[in-house]
Amino acid sequence: MSQVICITGGIGSGKSTVCRYLEERGYPVYYSDIRAKALMEGDYQLREQLITVFGTTIYTDREVLNRTELARRIFNDSNLKHSLESIVHPRVHEDFVQWSKDQTSRLLFKESPLALEIDDQSCQTIVVVHAEAELRISRVLGRNSNWTREDVEARMRNQISDEQRLRLAHQVLDNSGTPDELQEKLDQLLTKWS
Ligand code: ADP
């Protein structure tokens, strides 16, 4: 029986960096956001469900997802946001279960930015990657050269607070230091979990 460890955290905290490192170490990683987008485009039934709720404008030519339009539609509309989640998350969960059946590793990792918001029941251990807001903002601005500080702050406001995240974490992985320090901490956790 595999253990599922979810990697979560706010924008710019270092989730993708952690997951890339895990993959380099040979561990399988399921990327929830990437799979959600792939399913929203590639799964005919899911696409039709979304078109029923949001209309055809969230797709270009009925197949390429218009993320900006979708984000605009759910912004400040919690009912619509909830509808989106109740359609997409069960399908992603099904996809994750299928993926996990194909894995042979005893440790499975899932990058799940919303693990705490959606109370993701597939996570046996929830790791919160953490760095202070200012550091995360500067790292995101380094990563996304076309974003402004306001863009990052708006996304942060849309996420649960650091305080809530840290309170709900099973394990906090501090990423305030260098990439080497992050790897060292992760290695210690891998030893503990193995
Ligand atoms: P997330 O996936 O949580 O949004 P990323 O892993 O993409 O965050 O990290 C955000 C940016 O910060 C990336 O450009 C990444 O390379 C960089 N980064 C992550 N951890 C560190 C670190 N310890 N020191 C310096 N830069 C970092």
Side-chain angles (χ1 to χ4, degrees):
M1 183 68 178
S2 307
Q3 188 188 353
V4 179
I5 299 175
C6 288
I7 308 296
T8 194
I11 183 166
S13 58
K15 298 178 294 296
S16 307
T17 306
V18 166
C19 290
R20 266 196 305 276
Y21 179 65
L22 289 166
E23 283 197 300
E24 276 168 30
R25 286 309 196 90
Y27 292 100
V29 181
Y30 180 91
Y31 291 90
S32 304
D33 270 5
I34 294 174
R35 284 303 299 155
K37 181 167 184 279
L39 290 165
M40 286 163 88
E41 292 189 339
D43 184 308
Y44 174 79
Q45 215 181 342
L46 183 58
R47 225 165 54 207
E48 290 306 307
Q49 275 179 290
L50 291 170
I51 287 173
T52 304
V53 176
F54 292 94
T56 50
T57 55
I58 59 158
Y59 287 99
T60 308
D61 301 330
R62 275 187 101 85
E63 55 185 40
V64 180
L65 184 66
N66 184 341
R67 300 248 269 186
T68 314
E69 173 64 9
L70 185 60
R72 191 188 67 76
R73 296 285 303 281
I74 61 171
F75 193 71
N76 281 341
D77 188 334
S78 55
N79 284 337
L80 216 45
K81 187 167 178 233
H82 186 256
S83 299
L84 175 70
E85 287 167 355
S86 62
I87 294 171
V88 177
H89 292 156
R91 182 65 190 92
V92 176
H93 179 67
E94 205 178 275
D95 183 69
F96 170 73
V97 171
Q98 195 54 48
W99 173 87
S100 60
K101 282 184 188 154
D102 295 335
Q103 307 304 319
T104 50
S105 171
R106 217 180 52 75
L107 285 185
L108 301 183
F109 291 89
K110 184 179 186 187
E111 187 189 40
S112 182
L114 295 177
L116 295 169
E117 281 92 331
I118 65 170
D119 189 21
D120 189 339
Q121 293 294 321
S122 61
C123 308
Q124 276 134 22
T125 304
I126 298 183
V127 177
V128 168
V129 187
H130 178 71
E132 291 303 325
E134 269 311 311
L135 188 52
R136 283 161 46 207
I137 291 171
S138 71
R139 284 177 179 168
V140 175
L141 292 177
R143 183 187 65 189
N144 302 69
S145 55
N146 54 338
W147 285 23
T148 65
R149 187 186 174 88
E150 287 67 40
D151 292 333
V152 191
E153 284 176 346
R155 280 170 174 80
M156 283 178 156
R157 277 196 300 276
N158 236 351
Q159 301 182 326
I160 60 169
S161 68
D162 286 359
E163 198 185 34
Q164 280 172 294
R165 218 181 262 120
L166 293 173
R167 188 163 42 78
L168 295 167
H170 296 145
Q171 181 77 54
V172 176
L173 178 54
D174 178 65
N175 186 20
S176 316
T178 64
D180 281 352
E181 284 169 335
L182 178 67
Q183 289 200 1
E184 240 172 74
K185 287 182 186 140
L186 199 50
D187 281 335
Q188 284 169 11
L189 288 176
L190 286 168
T191 307
K192 184 173 114 176
W193 291 324
S194 296

